[in-house]
Amino acid sequence: MNGLGTILIVISAAAASVPAWAQVEVKSAWVRGTVAAQKTTGAYMELKNTKDGSLVGVESPVAGMAEVHHMRMDKNVMRMSAVPRLELPAGRTVELKPGGYHVMLIDLKKPLKKGDSVPLKLKIEDRDKTVSTVEVNAEVRDAAAPAHQR
Ligand SMILES: [Cu+2]
């Protein structure tokens, strides 16, 4: 009987351990809803990595392409540029929000309505170049939510 008890304890400890790929915590993921014929929109979230790494790509079934962008004001002109890699330093929360970093969903396949759920696959690269995928479902918010403001 003692032997069996020991085995059960070992199994439950293994089941409770955090899988190796669950290194990035994603919070408050949302996507701006779109109106008919709109082909792009932004996705926003908070990312917190447990170890140093970077976000190197995003995929979503709702969009033909997804890119990480940075937005800034340059002499009153809003400029967006693609960011091939966004550093996620260990323990620090990196915020993707209107007016700053965001995921641009490009070539949308259909309009996104408030309350829809948009699956996103985040490609996270470690310091040792290992790329893992973090899946998250982002909630679609009203198209009229404040856009690209500071
Ligand atoms: Cu953008």
Side-chain angles (χ1 to χ4, degrees), residues 5-141:
T6 304
I7 291 167
L8 288 176
I9 288 165
V10 170
I11 291 169
S12 59
S17 68
V18 177
W21 45 264
Q23 59 170 47
V24 177
E25 187 187 342
V26 183
K27 283 201 295 198
S28 313
W30 66 282
V31 171
R32 182 182 311 288
T34 61
V35 294
Q38 187 180 339
K39 283 299 189 192
T40 63
T41 193
Y44 311 94
M45 68 201 76
E46 290 176 13
L47 299 171
K48 190 176 180 184
N49 207 343
T50 55
K51 51 186 174 178
D52 287 337
S54 22
L55 175 62
V56 295
V58 183
E59 287 174 17
S60 175
V62 304
M65 195 168 80
E67 290 180 350
V68 178
H69 279 185
H70 184 245
M71 172 173 288
R72 63 189 174 84
M73 293 298 289
D74 180 17
K75 299 188 179 90
N76 294 325
V77 179
M78 207 140 53
R79 293 186 192 282
M80 283 201 296
S81 48
V83 179
R85 92 179 15 241
L86 175 59
E87 295 294 323
L88 301 176
R92 200 189 307 166
T93 298
V94 175
E95 213 180 340
L96 278 64
K97 60 181 180 189
Y101 291 107
H102 55 278
V103 173
M104 200 91 216
L105 299 174
I106 300 162
D107 194 16
L108 293 173
K109 294 169 183 170
K110 63 183 175 68
L112 302 175
K113 299 261 179 293
K114 184 184 176 186
D116 285 355
S117 182
V118 172
L120 299 170
K121 282 187 182 179
L122 311 177
K123 307 263 179 224
I124 309 288
E125 189 184 276
D126 282 354
R127 278 280 179 270
D128 66 4
K129 304 289 179 204
T130 307
V131 176
S132 52
T133 301
V134 176
E135 298 192 32
V136 57
N137 283 310
E139 175 205 352
V140 177
R141 293 191 189 166

